[in-house]
């Protein structure tokens, strides 16, 4: 049997590796470094929001109608506390790791509080959109027997729910946290929807595994897509210093009442699929399609 690893020696070698290239670590000298949003707390936040959006489906006890306001009030109180904490963590963290992206002077605690309140005010609208998403899934899938099956089981709805939440935080200018929410949903469902995408109501992702929807994608109302669909970007040239222009529209625009079948790939910010189109499976598309085709 070989000798046990010299852990102290290994630790010293690893420390040298960390110090030689600190880009994959967050180690500081004197003073404190803000912590990023906590992954487990972000998961708990998403589950609280799920319980608010779909009351009674994910609760341990039956919710009576005469208890509804008090039940929601308790959930919303916990949600607000989680939101303020995680938004504040994200703001303080980005201030340190990427100060050029933040204003020179701002109060992270006050900004987190305002962003949390603005988000909470949008919850009724988020829930309204989700009712259309659930109905679109039911009407778009003959295998669905009732709404409860969609809410409890469908990965497409899980991913769209996470997107609706993350997109509102993205709109509020909250850094890092929206991506954490969307990427946790990506891990759960295999569906990758960037929170910056703009998606209309009654959106249904059927089956879903392998779907990718990029940051600058625009999707209209009543759109249905199947597994493996990519709404992506073409390769972009870099500027003189080797950077991408991250502000340019890179991903396609999809009109309303469009169906995109499995494994279609639609690329490019100039690519527009018009209203009432059907895109066949396994199509590779980098040109626009007129409405009704």
């Amino acid at each position: 049997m070989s000798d046990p690893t010299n852990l102290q020696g290994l630790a010293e070698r690893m420390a040298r590796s960390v110090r030689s290239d600190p880009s994959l670590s967050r180690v500081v000298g004197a003073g404190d470094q803000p912590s990023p949003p906590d992954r487990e707390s972000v998961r708990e936040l998403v589950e609280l929001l799920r319980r608010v959006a779909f009351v009674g489906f994910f609760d341990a006890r039956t919710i009576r109608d005469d208890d509804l306001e008090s039940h929601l009030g308790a959930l919303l109180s916990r949600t607000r506390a989680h939101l303020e904490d995680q938004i504040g963590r994200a703001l303080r963290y980005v201030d340190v790791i990427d100060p050029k992206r933040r204003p020179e002077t701002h109060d992270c605690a006050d900004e987190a509080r305002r962003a949390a309140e603005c988000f909470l005010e949008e919850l009724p609208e988020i829930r309204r959109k989700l009712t259309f998403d659930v109905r679109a899934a039911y009407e778009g899938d003959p295998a669905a027997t009732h709404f409860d099956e969609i809410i409890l089981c469908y990965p497409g709805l899980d991913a769209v729910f996470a997107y609706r939440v993350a997109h509102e935080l993205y709109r509020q200018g909250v850094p890092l946290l929206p991506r954490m929410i969307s990427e946790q949903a990506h891990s759960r469902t295999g569906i990758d929807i960037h929170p910056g995408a703009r998606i209309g109501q009654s959106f249904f992702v059927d089956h879903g595994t392998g779907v990718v929807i990029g940051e600058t994608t625009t999707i209209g109302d009543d759109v249905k897509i199947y597994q493996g669909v990519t709404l992506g970007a073409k390769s972009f040239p870099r500027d003189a210093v080797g950077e991408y222009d991250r502000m340019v529209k890179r991903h396609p625009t999809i009109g309303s009442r469009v169906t995109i079948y499995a494994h279609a790939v639609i690329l490019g910010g100039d690519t527009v699929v018009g209203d009432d189109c059907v895109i066949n499976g396994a199509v590779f598309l980098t040109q626009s399609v007129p409405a009704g085709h």
Side-chain angles (χ1 to χ4, degrees):
M1 180 180 296
S2 61
D3 292 335
T5 301
N6 179 346
L7 294 182
Q8 183 57 39
L10 177 59
E12 291 172 359
R13 297 201 308 275
M14 287 298 298
R16 286 196 297 272
S17 174
V18 169
R19 291 185 179 114
S20 69
D21 184 359
S23 61
L24 300 184
S25 65
R26 284 290 174 262
V27 180
V28 296
D32 294 328
Q33 162 109 2
S35 299
D38 176 68
R39 293 175 60 149
E40 288 305 317
S41 295
V42 172
R43 289 190 183 96
E44 186 174 349
L45 170 62
V46 169
E47 292 311 311
L48 283 169
L49 289 166
R50 196 190 307 274
R51 290 170 62 192
V52 170
F54 303 111
V55 179
F57 282 98
F58 301 97
D59 290 284
R61 64 180 179 86
T62 301
I63 309 302
R64 295 172 53 88
D65 182 71
D66 52 5
D67 291 334
L68 182 57
E69 283 82 0
S70 61
H71 174 73
L72 283 170
L75 283 178
L76 289 168
S77 178
R78 291 175 60 191
T79 300
R80 178 167 58 190
H82 272 64
L83 267 174
E84 286 188 19
D85 181 40
Q86 298 308 312
I87 293 172
R89 280 173 172 254
L91 292 170
R92 289 188 293 272
Y93 188 71
V94 170
D95 272 358
V96 172
I97 67 167
D98 195 5
K100 67 179 182 294
R101 298 188 63 175
R102 308 297 307 159
E104 288 187 9
T105 59
H106 69 116
D107 185 329
C108 288
D110 183 61
E111 190 173 340
R113 187 161 46 252
R114 286 188 287 105
E117 290 299 327
C118 289
F119 175 87
L120 290 171
E121 287 296 322
E122 292 299 319
L123 276 177
E125 176 63 12
I126 291 173
R127 189 178 189 279
R128 186 192 71 82
K129 290 177 180 176
L130 287 167
T131 63
F132 284 98
D133 297 328
V134 171
R135 186 174 297 279
Y138 179 75
E139 294 175 351
D141 184 5
T145 54
H146 41 66
F147 286 4
D148 296 46
E149 182 179 10
I150 293 160
I151 293 169
L152 291 168
C153 305
Y154 275 38
L157 183 68
D158 186 354
V160 171
F161 159 75
Y163 159 76
R164 300 283 186 207
V165 168
H167 178 69
E168 185 55 38
L169 290 168
Y170 182 95
R171 281 201 331 113
Q172 298 292 339
V174 176
L176 198 56
L177 184 58
R179 284 302 300 270
M180 292 183 72
I181 291 171
S182 63
E183 293 303 334
Q184 286 183 2
H186 183 192
S187 297
R188 289 194 305 272
T189 66
I191 300 168
D192 181 1
I193 307 177
H194 193 286
R198 293 185 295 167
I199 301 176
Q201 68 183 26
S202 301
F203 181 54
F204 177 36
V205 181
D206 199 358
H207 305 295
T209 305
V211 164
V212 177
I213 300 175
E215 178 183 22
T216 61
T217 302
T218 301
I219 298 175
D221 298 332
D222 300 297
V223 171
K224 177 180 181 180
I225 67 177
Y226 286 81
Q227 68 273 15
V229 167
T230 296
L231 305 179
K234 294 184 282 190
S235 293
F236 264 72
R238 297 176 185 265
D239 62 20
V241 295
E243 295 287 339
Y244 289 117
D245 182 354
R246 298 181 184 275
M247 303 304 294
V248 69
K249 180 167 169 53
R250 310 180 303 279
H251 305 92
T253 296
I254 309 298
S256 295
R257 299 173 303 280
V258 171
T259 298
I260 307 174
Y261 283 103
H263 301 291
V265 176
I266 305 175
L267 304 181
D270 295 331
T271 303
V272 178
V273 175
D275 295 344
D276 303 295
C277 284
V278 176
I279 306 299
N280 289 344
V283 164
F284 187 87
L285 185 63
T286 58
Q287 296 181 336
S288 294
V289 179
H293 283 240

